Amino acid sequence: MSPFDFSRAATAEEATRQAAQGATFIAGGTNLIDLMKLEVMAPESLIDITRLDLNDIEETGEGGLRIGALVSNSDLANDARIRRDWPVLSRALLAGASGQLRNKATTGGNLLQRTRCLYFYDRAMACNKREPGSGCAARDGFNRILAILGTSEHCIATHPSDMAVAMLALGAEVEIRSASGEDRSLPLDDLYLLPGDRPDRETVLAPGDLITAVRLPPPVAGRQSYRKVRDRASYAFALVSVAGIVALDQGRIARADLAFGGLAPKPWRDPDVEAALIGERPSAALFEKAADILLAPAQGHGANDFKIPLARRTLVSVLDELTKDDVS
């Protein structure tokens, strides 16, 4: 591990000011420390933000929740309000990592996890995300866990978060504090960037920007489910995951919120898939049509070709689960 300076921030203003000057935030460190050990990331300065007042889960005036960026994954997953009204989020969190890691991992850090692409972690291999312009060894290499949607010729990495997939389906918004003290919020989907020709740019965050909270809108009627398909039963990243919220009215789908993990460089949502379901009676044929829409632009790269039929089966199964009393 390369040498680095370390300090603790007493205020958000102090933290963002130091980050704007080149320091890297650290909270739980469950991803950052691994990357530093491998020297994939080698920050010269770390700024510890764990003493900031960002640990609360508060009810909003609109009936939703405001989740502080330092709330641990364990506390969030086990919060009684989350388990009751936003169960898809609790299930996604409990599907991720181990209990020990969930105790340390934070809400803000989970959103900003780096890819688990083997070539990103191996400094001897070409990786445009780690070293822009060096190439993408994954495209012709062992890419079994990598993306089939939203990729470019420069990068086929996947985003590893389970939590972010559920939050995307729930319509979450992210609150951000800039180094100038300005507060802003944006939909979670707008936080992430697709690789294009700059896979090293993963989010819209500017130097010094600090995620301070995530807001969930009020709970909605309907069934919720999180399905994660992985190589082993625990402590494995998703090959395919689906977060779904579906409500029926008089035998027809009145609401369908769907997000996908393991398929793209960011948590993935396709409004056309949801639009195809709204107003229709649940059926196997309808669910296959939704899968056709989702996977029309999908492209495998050899070892990950299997993800295309796997994603189809997983989506159809989740939709069947969420409407099973009404499937014809």
Side-chain angles (χ1 to χ4, degrees):
M1 184 182 289
S2 299
F4 59 90
D5 295 326
F6 180 86
S7 61
R8 287 192 173 99
T11 66
E13 290 72 23
E14 179 185 352
T16 56
R17 182 177 66 253
Q18 291 192 42
Q21 296 170 354
T24 297
F25 297 127
I26 185 169
T30 57
N31 186 204
L32 176 60
I33 296 301
D34 285 343
L35 293 168
M36 290 175 65
K37 288 178 179 178
L38 296 171
E39 297 190 335
V40 173
M41 293 182 66
E44 295 182 358
S45 177
L46 294 182
I47 177 72
D48 181 356
I49 61 171
T50 55
R51 295 185 180 181
L52 303 186
D53 186 19
L54 302 173
N55 293 288
D56 295 325
I57 303 175
E58 306 167 310
E59 297 180 15
T60 66
E62 299 80 26
L65 287 182
R66 183 179 185 273
I67 303 161
L70 294 179
V71 172
S72 74
N73 285 183
S74 289
D75 287 346
L76 184 58
N78 292 300
D79 186 272
R81 294 161 295 185
I82 294 291
R83 292 170 66 90
R84 182 187 65 235
D85 295 328
W86 296 271
V88 65
L89 177 55
S90 180
R91 293 169 189 168
L93 285 161
L94 293 173
S98 64
Q100 294 91 334
L101 285 172
R102 290 196 297 269
N103 290 340
K104 290 292 292 180
T106 62
T107 298
N110 190 298
L111 294 178
L112 299 178
Q113 290 179 76
R114 308 297 301 275
T115 181
R116 262 53 180 196
C117 174
L118 298 174
Y119 299 95
F120 174 70
Y121 273 73
D122 187 346
R123 294 173 60 235
M125 305 302 293
C127 173
N128 288 317
K129 184 178 289 292
R130 189 185 64 251
E131 186 180 347
S134 63
C136 176
R139 289 186 62 87
D140 298 316
F142 185 69
N143 48 47
R144 184 173 182 275
I145 66 171
L146 300 182
I148 59 172
L149 293 168
T151 64
S152 75
E153 62 180 302
H154 302 283
C155 184
I156 60 171
T158 45
H159 193 275
S161 174
D162 292 290
M163 185 193 77
V165 177
M167 285 186 166
L168 182 60
L170 289 167
E173 293 193 350
V174 181
E175 295 183 5
I176 300 166
R177 171 75 57 85
S178 72
S180 65
E182 178 186 1
D183 291 317
R184 69 185 192 277
S185 63
L186 72 165
L188 177 60
D189 194 35
D190 292 345
L191 173 67
Y192 300 107
L193 299 172
L194 290 175
D197 60 0
R198 286 292 308 275
D200 57 307
R201 297 180 65 244
E202 298 174 351
T203 73
V204 299
L205 297 178
D209 280 355
L210 172 67
I211 293 178
T212 55
V214 176
R215 282 183 175 265
L216 296 181
V220 297
R223 294 176 178 170
Q224 300 184 22
S225 179
Y226 185 75
R227 181 79 61 84
K228 180 177 181 177
V229 182
R230 47 190 162 175
D231 283 326
R232 57 185 184 273
S234 66
Y235 197 35
F237 298 103
L239 296 171
V240 174
S241 64
V242 180
I245 306 162
V246 174
L248 295 139
D249 183 19
Q250 298 183 351
R252 295 182 181 274
I253 298 174
R255 183 186 190 98
D257 301 310
L258 299 166
F260 304 87
L263 299 182
K266 58 185 279 187
W268 193 258
R269 191 167 186 177
D270 187 337
D272 290 339
V273 175
E274 298 168 4
L277 296 168
I278 301 298
E280 300 293 334
R281 292 191 180 277
S283 69
L286 177 66
F287 301 159
E288 290 287 348
K289 176 183 176 183
D292 287 341
I293 295 170
L294 171 69
L295 297 167
Q299 180 183 1
H301 303 278
N304 69 348
D305 291 351
F306 75 99
K307 281 195 175 189
I308 297 174
L310 180 60
R312 172 180 297 278
R313 292 194 299 270
T314 306
L315 174 57
V316 169
S317 179
V318 168
L319 290 173
D320 179 63
E321 172 193 348
L322 292 171
T323 63
K324 60 184 175 182
D325 291 341
D326 296 84
V327 172
S328 57

